[in-house]
């Protein structure tokens, strides 16, 4: 939890954290409110409620550790005297205000005193003597935890510069994870914390929290014995990083040329095609069409999915053609709520991926998926806004050529069956995406009367005229047109940057398959479960050393690596992930260092059987792909258990 050393409010410098999103007022959060929000987020990583008291030294140590402090035994004894029976949330806030976290600069300065060669390293023998013979002594087991940390130790030396970076980023990520959890959990947001409500009343900026008498007994002037002492950070890390496991996978450029999907002779196979699209939401979530497949009889099936190319230039692909696309196929069963995973399109097929195999009669769900490695929010400045409508010499409005080209592409994306016309069902997917409402039968009838249609379906020209009418209704104001375009993934320059259209092709040898888009949903829930099932069934599992109930499952394809965390223990776990030594890689989280929290399996022990299958104790950790697929790439990840 890196903060500026001189800050009066330890957490107030965490401006980038999502605590502002927790506020129900429209006014910006004050430093005091940010401090209390961050205190509460940390407190709730240890306790179920901020009304719950700290009742032991161990709980106090754990809570302070989650807050990024490195309490020495002397510090703990200062606040937990023989007369102390409990500390409440207000007391915890007072302690955090007084116990400032050690800065990275202070840590580096202290380590440098042990760096006899001034080369950024400390010999393990010197580090061992320092930690076990002087000051607050560490046990040999704790020291071994430090010198066995991956990527920080090599050739009998401790890289303290890397350690300081690891320690500070881990603390920051733990706070970020706690705040995100607090934001999502609306029940916790409604709780009262200590004597303060989440929606804090206005108060004098100079006012401070009054500590309880048991805290006032200790001198406020006492200097911290561990201020700048690396021993406390090392001890905290030894206790925080309880176990680690390292995964290294090297991949060739352009994948394995032999691992291609062999396409059968489809000449006499009945087939069906459907289009769809992945859309990025403001929070980075992916929304896409989902499908239902009906198979009348057992048959061999050939199934592919690939980005839909809308380029009008021969031989030129659309900018989103490099986005990875995949399909999970799940069988619906009458006696089970959750459908059963059947297969996943894991073999490359031209510009996309596919699967060939046998399906039995019945209903199936087809869940499109993209990893998020290549379809992601851009952090570049918004380009200059394109003009959508103009007026001619007579003062009449008309659509610009650039806007008409974008509308034509939108038409192709929402024309799910690719027949060149929009049915009411296809148009309603568009309406739900752009306005959140459906077009009823009466409104569709009016649309047929005023715009060009053919066999009860809207033509491309009719779609253009519909938007021209909208521009006229607004007297040329393009505001509503931009709402539609942004919902469809366009930026201000009319570039499709936050969406990826795709096309599904399905052929069956013995029957005519029926494929229909049935909904448009976010890429969580059933898709998350399917991903976890796929990796657990076919991936490689590795348990944390000494914690056999916490496993990292990794599955690699030629084009992607996916890891899943499984928590079979009775406690929630937080896993710290470090990808910094990976080469030519990009992951879906956009971070090299981050943390994930996984619920315990025991939380589902009393749930009904059907609900126990929902994989609450298994979580997708990350997807990894090559940054440049024409070059070799190497994924190197260290998974460290920092809380359980």
């Amino acid at each position: 939890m890196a903060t500026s050393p001189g800050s009066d409010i330890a957490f107030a410098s965490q401006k980038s954290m999502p605590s502002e999103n927790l506020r129900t007022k429209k006014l910006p959060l004050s430093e005091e409110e940010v401090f209390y929000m961050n205190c509460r987020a940390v407190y709730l990583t240890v306790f179920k409620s901020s009304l719950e008291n700290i009742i032991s030294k161990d709980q106090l140590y754990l809570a302070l550790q989650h807050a990024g402090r490195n309490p020495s035994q002397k510090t703990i004894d200062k606040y937990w005297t023989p007369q102390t029976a409990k500390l409440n949330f207000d007391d915890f806030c007072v302690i955090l205000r007084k116990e400032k976290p050690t800065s990275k600069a202070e840590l580096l300065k202290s380590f440098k005193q042990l760096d006899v060669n001034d080369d950024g390293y400390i010999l393990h023998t010197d580090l061992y003597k320092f930690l076990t013979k002087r000051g607050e002594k560490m046990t040999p087991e704790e020291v071994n935890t430090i010198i066995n940390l991956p990527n920080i130790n090599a050739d009998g030396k401790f890289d303290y510069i890397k350690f300081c970076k690891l320690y500070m980023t881990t603390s920051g990520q733990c706070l970020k994870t706690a705040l995100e959890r607090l934001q999502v959990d609306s029940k916790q947001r409604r709780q009262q914390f200590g004597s303060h409500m989440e929606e804090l009343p206005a108060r004098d900026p100079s006012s401070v929290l009054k500590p309880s008498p048991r805290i006032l007994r200790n001198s406020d002037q006492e200097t911290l014995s561990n201020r700048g002492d690396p021993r406390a950070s090392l001890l905290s890390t030894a206790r925080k990083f309880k176990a680690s496991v390292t995964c290294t996978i090297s991949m060739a450029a352009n994948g394995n040329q032999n691992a291609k999907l062999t396409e059968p002779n489809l000449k006499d196979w009945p087939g069906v095609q459907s289009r769809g699209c992945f859309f990025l939401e403001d929070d980075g979530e992916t929304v896409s069409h989902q499908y239902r497949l009906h198979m009348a009889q057992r048959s061999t099936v050939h199934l592919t999915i690939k980005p839909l190319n809308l380029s009008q230039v021969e031989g030129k692909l659309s900018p989103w053609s490099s986005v990875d696309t995949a399909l999970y196929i799940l069988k619906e069963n009458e006696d089970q709520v959750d459908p059963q995973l059947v297969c996943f399109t894991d073999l490359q097929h031209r510009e996309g991926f596919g699967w060939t195999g046998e399906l039995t009669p019945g209903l199936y769900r087809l869940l499109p998926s993209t990893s998020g490695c290549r379809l992601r929010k851009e952090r570049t400045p918004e380009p200059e806004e394109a003009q959508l409508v103009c007026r001619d010499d007579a003062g009449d409005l008309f659509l610009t050529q650039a806007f008409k080209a974008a509308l034509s592409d939108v038409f192709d994306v929402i024309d799910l069956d690719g027949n060149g016309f929009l049915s009411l069902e296809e148009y309603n997917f568009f309406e739900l995406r752009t306005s959140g409402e459906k077009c009823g039968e009466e409104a569709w009838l009016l649309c047929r009367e005023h715009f060009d249609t053919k066999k009860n379906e809207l033509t491309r020209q009719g779609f253009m005229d519909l938007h021209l009418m909208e521009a006229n209704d607004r007297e040329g104001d393009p505001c509503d047109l931009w709402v539609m375009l942004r919902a469809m993934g366009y930026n201000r320059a009319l570039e499709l940057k936050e969406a990826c259209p795709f096309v599904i092709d399905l052929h069956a040898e013995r029957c005519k398959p029926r494929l229909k888009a049935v909904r448009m949903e976010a890429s969580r829930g059933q898709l998350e479960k399917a991903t976890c099932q796929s990796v657990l069934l076919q991936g490689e599992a590795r348990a944390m050393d000494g914690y056999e109930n916490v496993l990292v499952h990794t599955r690699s394809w030629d084009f992607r690596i996916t890891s899943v965390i499984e928590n079979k223990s009775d406690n929630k776990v937080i896993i710290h992930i470090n990808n910094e030594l990976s080469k030519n890689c990009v992951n879906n989280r956009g971070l090299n260092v981050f943390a994930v929290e996984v619920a315990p399996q025991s939380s589902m022990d009393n749930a009904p059987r059907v609900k126990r299958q929902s994989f609450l104790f298994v979580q997708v950790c990350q997807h990894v792909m090559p940054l440049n697929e024409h070059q070799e790439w190497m994924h190197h990840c260290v998974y460290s258990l920092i809380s359980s």
Side-chain angles (χ1 to χ4, degrees), residues 203-249:
R203 55 177 173 263
D204 186 340
S206 63
S207 65
V208 295
L209 181 67
K210 294 181 179 180
S212 65
R214 57 181 171 275
I215 298 295
L216 282 173
R217 290 193 198 103
N218 302 287
S219 171
D220 289 340
Q221 304 301 319
E222 182 180 347
T223 57
L224 297 179
S225 61
N226 62 319
R227 186 82 173 148
D229 184 351
R231 188 191 326 274
S233 298
L234 288 165
L235 182 60
S236 175
T237 301
R239 294 173 180 173
K240 183 180 292 183
F241 286 90
K242 299 183 177 182
S244 295
V245 62
T246 302
C247 174
T248 303
I249 302 175

Side-chain angles (χ1 to χ4, degrees), residues 289-305:
H289 295 83
Q290 295 185 2
Y291 304 83
R292 176 164 287 158
L293 168 67
H294 177 257
M295 295 292 295
Q297 65 184 78
R298 181 186 295 269
S299 177
T300 300
V301 167
H302 179 73
L303 174 68
T304 63
I305 181 172

Side-chain angles (χ1 to χ4, degrees), residues 17-24 29 183 189:
M17 298 300 181
S19 54
E20 292 186 7
N21 297 333
L22 303 175
R23 183 177 171 85
T24 56
L29 287 170
Q183 180 183 11
R189 289 206 303 271

Side-chain angles (χ1 to χ4, degrees), residues 325-368:
T325 56
L327 269 177
Y328 288 91
I329 297 90
L330 293 82
K331 178 71 179 292
E332 294 187 356
N333 300 309
E334 294 180 0
D335 58 339
Q336 293 182 2
V337 174
D338 286 342
Q340 178 185 0
L341 177 66
V342 175
C343 62
F344 168 72
T345 53
D346 56 354
L347 291 178
Q348 194 164 2
H349 183 266
R350 301 192 183 102
E351 299 87 14
F353 295 89
W355 174 83
T356 299
E358 190 172 76
L359 295 181
T360 58
L363 292 175
Y364 295 83
R365 294 184 194 179
L366 270 60
L367 306 181

